[in-house]
Amino acid sequence: MLAARFAEQLDGIAAGLVGDGSECFGFDDHISRDHDWGAAVCCWLTKQDHEAFGKQLQYEIDALPRTFKGFPARTESSWGGGRTGVFEISQFYQHFIGCDHVPQSTHEWIRIPEGNLAVATNGAVFTDGRGEFTRFRDALLAFYPRDVWLQKIAARCMTMAQSGQYNYARTLARGEYVAARMAEAEFIGAAVSMVFLLNRRYMPFYKWMHRALAGLPILGPEVHLLLAQLVHDDGLYRDRIQLVEIICSLVVGELRRQELSDAASGFLLDHGPCVQSKISDITIRSLGPWVDPSEH
């Protein structure tokens, strides 16, 4: 259809599927088909092209057949509209990251929720003749500025140590099992986040965090399996405490391998300040190792 109806403008049309929805992460299955599911596409245009032929392009997309290889075209719920179709490039990204340009300052980077960065850079781009959409995408995929990255890693060290290596065993010893579950959940979230940070990949929101973990090359498969074992109800508490220590040990090893910490301790609380000491930005470093700048 694009070749037939928009031959002269074809080079300026980027097409793919990026954004909200399990299908954009590659995780959709038969359970996903109850809402906001089906064959669909995103087309991204520069502002000038969007003004020139964006409405006509949307009209032609809406007129496409309602089935594709036996699957229905996308149906939308009241909360799932506006995820596919024709978009102006800068406005598409502004919807997710709050600005119509690649973040330039530390302040712009830290104000963007990490889950939004994951959504803005997931999926696939099928074609992008001029490369305008891909240049914006690649700049985001280059990941956080180094000082922001280091500060977030330092904060995860502290949270993993406090919730997992320290408070988890103590709450279990007191018989405070609800508090232990809360400490366990805090540890799991921090551990998953740490692995994503060490891979320089944005972490999706909680529903897909664990599943996405398995696809990360650095510690992903190992921590994915260990966390599954940690939450298995058949395990003894002493076994769970040991699993926490194994995960922390893997993280410590990776921090050393990436030359982010040279602390000799196995306690992650000792590694957070080492990581933080490598930050050059005085304002960020002054936050201390406990603070994630994105949450400050």
Side-chain angles (χ1 to χ4, degrees):
M1 181 276 285
L2 293 177
R5 306 289 174 86
F6 298 91
E8 295 183 1
Q9 301 95 341
L10 194 58
D11 193 51
I13 301 173
L17 190 64
V18 176
D20 289 307
S22 57
E23 70 277 12
C24 295
F25 285 104
F27 296 153
D28 56 318
D29 54 25
H30 68 283
I31 298 175
S32 308
R33 300 181 186 185
D34 61 338
H35 70 98
D36 303 317
W37 188 87
V41 68
C42 298
C43 287
W44 302 283
L45 309 172
T46 63
K47 183 177 181 180
Q48 182 178 354
D49 286 344
H50 193 270
E51 291 174 350
F53 62 91
K55 288 184 179 179
Q56 180 62 28
L57 178 57
Q58 184 64 63
Y59 174 83
E60 297 293 349
I61 288 175
D62 291 340
L64 288 171
R66 301 306 297 166
T67 61
F68 178 76
K69 294 186 176 181
F71 292 101
R74 182 183 177 91
T75 57
E76 296 181 344
S77 68
S78 56
W79 298 104
R83 296 181 178 181
T84 59
V86 181
F87 302 94
E88 193 268 301
I89 294 171
S90 63
Q91 293 304 304
F92 176 84
Y93 281 111
Q94 184 172 34
H95 172 73
F96 294 111
I97 68 173
C99 53
D100 61 1
H101 56 274
V102 176
Q104 299 298 308
S105 66
T106 298
H107 175 73
E108 285 186 324
W109 274 105
I110 64 177
R111 66 188 291 271
I112 306 171
E114 187 172 349
N116 287 34
L117 287 164
V119 168
T121 56
N122 66 10
V125 180
F126 308 140
T127 183
D128 185 5
R130 293 182 191 158
E132 295 285 346
F133 182 83
T134 301
R135 274 189 283 275
F136 202 135
R137 176 181 174 89
D138 287 347
L140 294 179
L141 285 171
F143 211 60
Y144 292 112
R146 179 174 173 80
D147 283 350
V148 175
W149 177 64
L150 290 171
Q151 181 66 25
K152 291 173 81 70
I153 289 176
R156 296 302 175 272
C157 285
M158 309 308 273
T159 301
M160 288 179 68
Q162 183 187 47
S163 61
Q165 292 181 288
Y166 186 73
N167 280 326
Y168 188 47
R170 291 166 70 87
T171 52
L172 288 173
R174 291 191 176 106
E176 294 283 353
Y177 299 120
V178 173
R181 284 289 185 171
M182 294 175 74
E184 181 182 273
E186 188 82 4
F187 171 78
I188 289 171
V192 173
S193 176
M194 175 66 89
V195 176
F196 271 89
L197 288 166
L198 291 172
N199 280 273
R200 295 178 178 268
R201 293 276 296 277
Y202 300 118
M203 181 178 68
F205 86 121
Y206 72 90
K207 181 179 178 181
W208 301 120
M209 285 166 47
H210 184 245
R211 182 165 178 177
L213 190 65
L216 299 179
I218 300 172
L219 300 185
E222 302 97 309
V223 176
H224 179 272
L225 177 60
L226 289 165
L227 289 176
Q229 293 173 345
L230 179 63
V231 300
H232 199 281
D233 286 337
D234 291 343
L236 298 173
Y237 287 127
R238 63 175 179 271
D239 295 332
R240 295 181 188 177
I241 294 170
Q242 182 62 28
L243 287 168
V244 166
E245 290 297 336
I246 293 171
I247 292 169
C248 291
S249 177
L250 289 171
V251 169
V252 167
E254 185 59 28
L255 291 173
R256 291 173 179 156
R257 190 189 72 80
Q258 294 194 27
E259 299 182 349
L260 299 177
S261 175
D262 57 3
S265 170
F267 191 29
L268 277 169
L269 206 72
D270 297 324
H271 291 268
C274 285
V275 174
Q276 225 237 354
S277 69
K278 299 180 181 297
I279 295 172
S280 58
D281 187 306
I282 297 174
T283 301
I284 295 178
R285 195 166 66 241
S286 67
L287 295 173
W290 291 93
V291 178
D292 181 337
S294 301
E295 301 169 359
H296 183 63

